[in-house]
């Protein structure tokens, strides 16, 4: 369908863009891990309104719950 030279350039272009996307994701992940470790995890629970940070993950006001597994019902039964 395409010439071999065009196929080579297409694969090269796609792999290069994939590598750049992967590198940007790794940079974002490294930044977020660094910020989390730098603040000792306090930034994750900062929006929580409870005074006791140990009870914050069980509060409804806390948007981040590190102990909860977020699974949609459709995925759990294999529909999603």
């Amino acid at each position: 369908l395409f010439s071999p030279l065009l196929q080579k350039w297409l694969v090269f272009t796609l792999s290069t863009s994939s590598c750049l996307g992967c590198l940007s994701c790794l940079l974002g992940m490294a930044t977020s891990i660094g910020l989390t470790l730098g603040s000792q995890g306090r930034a994750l629970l900062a929006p929580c309104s409870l005074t006791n940070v140990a009870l914050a993950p069980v509060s409804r006001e806390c948007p981040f719950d590190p102990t909860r597994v977020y699974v949609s019902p459709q995925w759990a039964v294999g529909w999603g």
Side-chain angles (χ1 to χ4, degrees), residues 7-52:
Q7 288 178 356
K8 287 179 185 179
W9 279 106
L10 184 65
V11 169
F12 175 75
T13 304
L14 289 174
S15 64
T16 302
S17 64
S18 175
C19 287
L20 289 175
C22 180
L23 286 175
S24 67
C25 289
L26 285 174
L27 180 63
M29 180 70 80
T31 302
S32 66
I33 288 173
L35 291 173
T36 301
L37 292 177
S39 69
Q40 296 177 350
R42 288 187 301 266
L44 293 174
L45 298 175
C48 300
S49 63
L50 290 177
T51 56
N52 187 355

Side-chain angles (χ1 to χ4, degrees), residues 35-77:
L35 291 173
T36 301
L37 292 177
S39 69
Q40 296 177 350
R42 288 187 301 266
L44 293 174
L45 298 175
C48 300
S49 63
L50 290 177
T51 56
N52 187 355
V53 178
L55 295 177
V58 296
S59 169
R60 291 193 183 274
E61 290 82 22
C62 187
F64 178 75
D65 184 359
T67 63
R68 183 173 177 184
V69 177
Y70 295 95
V71 177
S72 67
Q74 291 85 9
W75 182 83
V77 296

